[in-house]
């Protein structure tokens, strides 16, 4: 199919919030990929999403979608607990995978997935779409190419108490179903765990994307008036150090960004609520020319850019720009280490942790 049309043929698993808000639209906007099939066990939801997005095929059964030779790759947008089992099925069916973050919920299951991806010739990318924020991508490039050695990095991800009000105003109006398949026991009820997986996965990935591998964490956690805060001191493999702040939710507007101090320059960034599709305001200072620089990042449809990059890797073998399966495992290790550090009060080495958050 892809050879005939030149575009990667996508099957999306899940017609819930993230597919409606991000992935289905990304398929429609991408230059090198298109929506071929959708899948959801909730038939009413499937019908409504089908009417809007007009895929060639609509499946209630995931195995049936995977058996369709017209599907080149699946985009998995379902609850975290289902990510690894459904990604494994796709790999075993010979399909490339773009799976939402976090990669999974335990280190072991992520490592099993990694082994099977490695044994296949398939591409698996994790949906850390902030890597496709043009501001963050520019910062990454500056750090790689010009900044020299990293001294220290601070990054913060502080969800806003007004998040849902702002987000719901700009997202498409969502369609939902009573028949939607959700993990048993509603894992979202354990807020501390849920916030770490859903928001911490962004913060840790940004810290790793910009600063490289993290080797240890020492974390503190406090809950007051329904707000949750983690302050985390990190050590990088390079010897650099860092400080991460995860807050859910700050009593103000969305507050996310980072500061990076290097040998030949520095970076500061303010990141916006992702649903505004606005590139981070990034300023780099380069000691080489003594100038500050600020990229515009005019196209900040992170989800479209993520999908196009994924498709380029599959269609043309271009190096993966997104998070790979190893990044997904290392993020799981970092989040798990943060949880263990909060429990024990000790500094925790990422290499020593097992289990999950
Ligand atoms: N990248 C981001 O910034 C971002 C933002 C929001 C959510 N997410 C991620 O998206 C995921 C949650 O997505 P959501 O909120 O759309 O979930 P959801 O629960 O609202 O929707 C998932 C849909 O998938 C269907 N489904 C689940 N398993 C299925 C199966 N085996 N076969 C067929 N259908 C199946 C369900 O019926 C449901 O309709 C999480 O992993 C979350 O971290 C990422």
């Amino acid at each position: 199919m892809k050879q005939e049309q030149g575009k990667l043929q996508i099957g999306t698993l899940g017609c819930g919030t993230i597919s409606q808000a991000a992935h289905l639209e990304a398929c429609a906007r991408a230059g090198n990929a298109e929506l071929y099939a959708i899948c959801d066990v909730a038939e009413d939801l499937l019908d409504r999403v089908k009417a809007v997005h007009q895929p060639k095929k609509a499946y209630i059964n995931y195995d049936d979608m995977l058996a369709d030779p017209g599907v080149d790759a699946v985009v998995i947008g379902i609850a975290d607990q289902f990510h690894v089992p459904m990604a494994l099925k796709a790999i075993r069916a010979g399909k490339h995978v773009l799976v939402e973050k976090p990669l999974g919920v335990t280190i072991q299951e992520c490592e099993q997935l990694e082994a099977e991806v490695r044994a296949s010739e398939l591409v698996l990318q994790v949906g850390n779409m902030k890597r496709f924020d043009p501001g963050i991508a520019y910062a990454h490039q500056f750090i790689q190419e010009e900044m020299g050695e990293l001294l220290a990095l601070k990054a913060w991800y502080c969800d806003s108490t007004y998040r849902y009000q702002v987000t719901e105003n700009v997202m498409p109006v969502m369609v939902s179903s009573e028949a939607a398949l959700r993990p048993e026991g509603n894992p979202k009820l354990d807020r501390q765990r849920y916030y770490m997986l859903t928001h911490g996965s962004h913060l840790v990935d940004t810290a790793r994307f910009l600063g490289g591998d993290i080797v240890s964490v020492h974390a503190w956690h406090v809950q007051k008036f329904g707000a949750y805060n983690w302050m985390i001191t990190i050590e990088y493999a390079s010897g650099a150090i860092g400080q991460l702040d995860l807050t859910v939710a700050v009593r103000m507007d969305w507050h996310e960004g980072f500061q990076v101090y290097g040998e030949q320059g520095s970076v500061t960034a303010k990141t916006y609520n992702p649903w505004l599709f606005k590139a981070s305001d990034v300023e780099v200072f380069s000691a080489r020319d003594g100038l500050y620089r600020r990229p515009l990042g005019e196209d900040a449809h992170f989800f479209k850019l993520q999908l196009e990059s994924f498709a380029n890797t599959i269609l043309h073998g271009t190096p993966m720009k997104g998070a790979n399966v190893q990044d997904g495992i290392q993020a799981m290790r970092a989040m798990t280490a943060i949880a263990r550090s909060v429990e024990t009060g000790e500094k925790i080495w990422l290499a020593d942790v097992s289990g999950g958050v």
Side-chain angles (χ1 to χ4, degrees):
M1 184 70 62
K2 66 181 173 243
Q3 286 82 3
E4 283 166 33
Q5 303 189 351
K7 288 190 175 187
L8 192 75
Q9 301 298 302
I10 304 292
T12 55
L13 174 60
C15 291
T17 311
I18 192 67
S19 292
Q20 290 177 52
H23 299 309
L24 293 163
E25 197 189 293
C27 289
R29 290 180 189 273
N32 59 357
E34 66 187 13
L35 186 65
Y36 172 83
I38 60 173
C39 174
D40 203 297
V41 292
E43 204 169 348
D44 53 341
L45 183 58
L46 190 73
D47 285 344
R48 292 185 69 178
V49 170
K50 183 179 163 192
V52 173
H53 290 277
Q54 307 270 302
K56 293 187 183 74
K57 304 276 182 64
Y59 292 100
I60 291 173
N61 185 304
Y62 181 46
D63 292 332
D64 291 344
M65 182 167 85
L66 291 178
D68 185 333
V71 175
D72 296 323
V74 293
V75 175
I76 299 180
I78 56 179
D80 306 342
Q81 288 70 18
F82 298 144
H83 287 181
V84 168
M86 296 305 122
L88 276 172
K89 275 192 172 212
I91 295 294
R92 289 170 188 165
K95 310 295 184 190
H96 304 282
V97 174
L98 174 59
V99 57
E100 262 305 337
K101 46 56 53 184
L103 179 57
V105 291
T106 70
I107 295 163
Q108 285 82 346
E109 64 166 1
C110 293
E111 287 179 339
Q112 187 198 345
L113 178 59
E114 193 259 347
E116 296 209 21
V117 170
R118 200 163 8 100
S120 76
E121 305 237 302
L122 298 161
V123 171
L124 184 142
Q125 189 173 310
V126 188
N128 289 106
M129 82 300 175
K130 287 180 189 287
R131 292 185 180 219
F132 296 93
D133 173 325
I136 297 177
Y138 184 81
H140 173 74
Q141 192 185 342
F142 175 76
I143 291 166
Q144 295 294 309
E145 294 175 4
E146 277 189 68
M147 197 189 73
E149 232 188 304
L150 175 67
L151 180 72
L153 177 149
K154 292 189 272 182
W156 50 97
Y157 179 113
C158 305
D159 198 358
S160 166
T161 196
Y162 305 110
R163 178 227 181 86
Y164 290 102
Q165 204 166 340
V166 172
T167 300
E168 280 167 19
N169 284 345
V170 292
M171 274 182 169
V173 175
M174 291 293 149
V175 184
S176 60
S177 167
E178 287 296 313
L181 182 63
R182 300 242 151 73
E184 265 178 49
N186 193 1
K188 290 187 182 178
L189 290 177
D190 181 345
R191 290 316 226 197
Q192 200 170 323
R193 184 162 183 263
Y194 170 58
Y195 290 153
M196 182 53 64
L197 286 169
T198 204
H199 302 302
S201 55
H202 281 306
L203 178 62
V204 163
D205 189 68
T206 299
R208 292 190 67 260
F209 183 50
L210 299 173
D213 279 336
I214 297 170
V215 290
S216 81
V217 305
H218 196 169
W220 287 260
H221 176 65
V222 65
Q223 289 177 36
K224 280 173 184 262
F225 48 80
Y228 296 64
N229 174 272
W230 288 258
M231 285 290 175
I232 309 147
T233 303
I234 60 175
E235 286 175 300
Y236 284 102
S238 65
I241 54 175
Q243 183 73 36
L244 307 182
D245 161 9
L246 175 64
T247 309
V248 189
V250 278
R251 272 51 176 170
M252 61 188 217
D253 201 358
W254 188 279
H255 178 59
E256 183 181 354
F258 49 86
Q259 295 177 329
V260 186
Y261 311 139
E263 194 184 357
Q264 300 293 339
S266 297
V267 187
T268 59
K270 172 179 170 52
T271 296
Y272 294 89
N273 178 331
W275 302 105
L276 299 176
F277 292 112
K278 179 169 164 45
S280 294
D281 291 335
V282 167
E283 189 167 70
V284 307
F285 176 78
S286 173
R288 286 198 190 155
D289 54 14
L291 293 175
Y292 281 95
R293 279 179 251 152
R294 290 193 298 124
L296 173 60
E298 65 283 359
D299 180 358
H301 200 301
F302 322 117
F303 294 99
K304 176 196 69 177
L305 297 171
Q306 165 177 263
L307 183 66
E308 287 182 336
S309 178
F310 173 67
N312 270 335
T313 301
I314 296 163
L315 295 169
H316 309 298
T318 52
M320 194 186 290
K321 287 189 185 163
N324 62 25
V325 67
Q326 272 299 338
D327 293 316
I329 293 172
Q330 289 309 316
M332 273 309 304
R333 284 194 173 276
M335 291 187 288
T336 305
I338 292 166
R340 290 301 99 78
S341 180
V342 166
E343 286 157 17
T344 61
E346 307 281 329
K347 169 170 136 177
I348 303 288
W349 296 93
L350 269 62
D352 293 343
V353 287
S354 58
V357 174

